[in-house]
Amino acid sequence: METRRGPAALLPLLPLLLLLGASGFLQSYAVEVDVKDASNVTCLYAQWMMKFLIKYETNSSDYKNASLDLPSTVTHDGSVCGNDTQAALLAVQFGGGHSWSVNFTETNETYQADFIVFTYNTNDAAVFPDAKRKGLVTVVVKDSMHPIQLNNVFVCHHTTSVEAENVTQFVWNITMQPFVQNGTIGKTETRCHADTPTAAPTVVPTAANVTTTSTTTSSPAPTTAPKPVENPVTGNYSLKSGNKTCLLATVGLQLNVSQDKPLLININPKTTSTDGTCGNTSATLKLNDGNSTLIDFTFIVNASASVRKFYLKEVNVTLLNHLNGSVILNADNNNFSKWDAFLGNSYMCRKEQTLEINEDLQVHTFNLWVQPFLVKENKFAIAQECSLDDDTILIPIVVGAALAGLIVIIVIAYIIGRRKSYAGYQTL
């Protein structure tokens, strides 16, 4: 069995919906595994790139996100060739006790992946600092790969993600074939549905016994209309000063990016960590969705001594390339005067609101409830609701409109009556 690895060239910018973080923005590597049988003939070949995003609990009972890459040093013990009665197994081990494997079965002249097993070690302090739970954690997921014709090479350059048990696995640039016949990699590619039929390979196999594959593809998937983006999931966020909660926020967040083309991005609370600062007159809530989307909300208390109120002053949003950490977009607006409430109260607005950051970016909020100051007993204080939520204002509006209409009708009737009366007393 031979393995070759090398730094992969950066991919073109992937869709911003793939908000994958990279702790310290570690470089990703293309990993190549060439499994050989007892006769030193290739029986399983694979080359791919992969990242993991893991949410874990710390000793302070907070949750943080860890990003794990395939590093430049990977072992592949336990990989098995497989046959028509035994499953093939592709297994790699890396870092401080982490491992990943996928098994393949052969049925009726086809093969397919069955289960993916990922084991991470929270004793790896470099990846999981201050982890509360120590030891190995294993996640098993069913693979959704469709059956592939034997002796065809499965190719998928599109990024695929699988989420289970606080772990999201990202895999892309896959070139893979188990059950290789006679030691020769197949010359026909079967592409995943996400790839376009003419997509050029991003990572080219370099094993000496791997022949150049043709661009023959399977039948393209039928074109479907894009699905509308649903409203974001509402997340609960908080900050602590010592052992006391000093800021509470509940909100669903959606970004509207129009830098190149319109794109809606929902912030996922499950993969979002919180940070920030609390003070007597200013507070900042920092949200980090996997180290690819950073959103800062800054609140201040007004300077008036008679009526003390807080309000949202500034919002800063940074979008990063999840592969190398470069800044895609940075937008800031420090001239807001929104979400105001009396100091000691909270602010609530269940309806959708829009924060105009700049011409390229908007932030939409849903089910907002926030209190950045004077939080007591870890609970929201009395809420001051936005006018959008106050349905009671419709009553005076309706009554007023009805009265106005009635007055108009009376005036018109009076004018008509006056005209008729005047006409009846004309001189003969």
Side-chain angles (χ1 to χ4, degrees):
M1 186 188 306
E2 297 179 356
T3 302
R4 298 180 178 86
R5 295 170 295 275
L10 287 177
L11 299 173
L13 181 62
L14 298 173
L16 293 178
L17 290 173
L18 299 172
L19 300 178
L20 170 62
S23 177
F25 304 113
L26 301 176
Q27 185 175 11
S28 298
Y29 285 82
V31 175
E32 183 178 80
V33 175
D34 183 5
V35 182
K36 298 183 182 296
D37 61 15
S39 301
N40 201 32
V41 174
T42 297
C43 61
L44 188 156
Y45 176 81
Q47 187 179 49
W48 74 104
M49 300 178 74
M50 184 163 54
K51 276 179 175 286
F52 304 92
L53 186 64
I54 306 163
K55 188 173 184 178
Y56 70 99
E57 186 177 7
T58 66
N59 286 317
S60 59
S61 297
D62 293 330
Y63 283 85
K64 290 186 177 180
N65 290 320
S67 181
L68 189 58
D69 297 309
L70 283 183
S72 58
T73 54
V74 175
T75 58
H76 41 77
D77 298 332
S79 296
V80 177
C81 290
N83 51 47
D84 55 358
T85 60
Q86 181 183 6
L89 180 66
L90 173 64
V92 293
Q93 304 82 38
F94 56 97
H98 317 295
S99 63
W100 182 88
S101 67
V102 56
N103 71 306
F104 303 89
T105 54
E106 176 186 345
T107 307
N108 298 327
E109 300 301 316
T110 64
Y111 68 86
Q112 69 181 87
D114 285 334
F115 292 96
I116 296 173
V117 180
F118 171 52
T119 299
Y120 58 95
N121 187 0
T122 57
N123 284 316
D124 186 351
V127 179
F128 304 100
D130 196 34
K132 183 175 182 179
R133 178 182 177 182
K134 300 292 186 179
L136 299 177
V137 182
T138 298
V139 177
V140 181
V141 293
K142 175 70 176 175
D143 196 282
S144 59
M145 176 182 178
H146 296 290
I148 307 296
Q149 193 70 30
L150 278 177
N151 210 36
N152 280 15
V153 179
F154 175 68
V155 176
C156 191
H157 302 297
H158 185 84
T159 302
T160 302
S161 63
V162 179
E163 184 176 353
E165 301 180 32
N166 292 330
V167 175
T168 305
Q169 305 180 40
F170 296 84
V171 187
W172 69 97
N173 281 357
I174 305 170
T175 300
M176 186 176 295
Q177 183 184 350
F179 309 108
V180 175
Q181 306 296 309
N182 301 319
T184 302
I185 304 299
K187 296 182 179 181
T188 302
E189 292 181 358
T190 296
R191 291 286 183 92
C192 62
H193 290 314
D195 278 5
T196 59
T198 57
T202 307
V203 178
V204 180
T206 58
N209 64 339
V210 178
T211 58
T212 303
T213 58
S214 68
T215 57
T216 303
T217 65
S218 59
S219 299
T223 302
T224 57
K227 295 181 179 179
V229 178
E230 298 180 352
N231 287 348
V233 176
T234 301
N236 298 312
Y237 310 104
S238 64
L239 293 178
K240 288 188 175 182
S241 178
N243 295 325
K244 294 183 178 181
T245 299
C246 57
L247 183 149
L248 290 173
T250 296
V251 64
L253 292 170
Q254 184 181 79
L255 305 184
N256 188 341
V257 184
S258 57
Q259 187 178 35
D260 296 316
K261 60 181 181 180
L263 179 64
L264 292 177
I265 303 171
N266 286 343
I267 302 302
N268 184 1
K270 293 182 179 179
T271 59
T272 299
S273 60
T274 59
D275 197 359
T277 57
C278 292
N280 294 327
T281 59
S282 67
T284 299
L285 174 65
K286 297 176 178 289
L287 301 180
N288 184 336
D289 186 355
N291 282 334
S292 285
T293 302
L294 313 176
I295 309 177
D296 298 350
F297 298 94
T298 299
F299 302 85
I300 67 170
V301 178
N302 64 5
S304 173
S306 57
V307 181
R308 302 282 284 175
K309 300 182 75 174
F310 72 82
Y311 62 92
L312 177 69
K313 171 64 174 176
E314 181 176 359
V315 178
N316 181 279
V317 180
T318 303
L319 301 179
L320 303 173
N321 184 336
H322 68 263
L323 294 177
N324 65 353
S326 61
V327 176
I328 299 169
L329 174 65
N330 181 261
D332 180 82
N333 187 333
N334 61 2
N335 291 314
F336 285 118
S337 182
K338 294 181 177 290
W339 305 356
D340 59 308
F342 291 111
L343 195 62
N345 288 3
S346 61
Y347 174 85
M348 175 185 289
C349 196
R350 290 182 289 268
K351 299 292 179 62
E352 178 182 357
Q353 294 188 93
T354 299
L355 300 173
E356 296 278 354
I357 310 303
N358 63 15
E359 60 183 7
D360 294 325
L361 182 66
Q362 295 177 331
V363 176
H364 303 288
T365 64
F366 304 79
N367 299 320
L368 172 67
W369 195 3
V370 62
Q371 184 174 348
F373 301 100
L374 302 181
V375 176
K376 296 180 180 180
E377 297 180 356
N378 200 31
K379 296 179 181 179
F380 285 104
I382 297 174
Q384 294 181 222
E385 296 194 49
C386 64
S387 58
L388 295 174
D389 288 350
D390 191 0
D391 296 332
T392 60
I393 65 174
L394 294 177
I395 297 175
I397 291 175
V398 172
V399 173
L403 289 175
L406 182 59
I407 292 172
V408 171
I409 293 172
I410 292 172
V411 171
I412 293 174
Y414 174 76
I415 292 173
I416 294 174
R418 289 276 295 176
R419 286 181 177 178
K420 288 183 178 180
S421 299
Y422 181 75
Y425 289 95
Q426 288 181 348
T427 304
L428 295 176

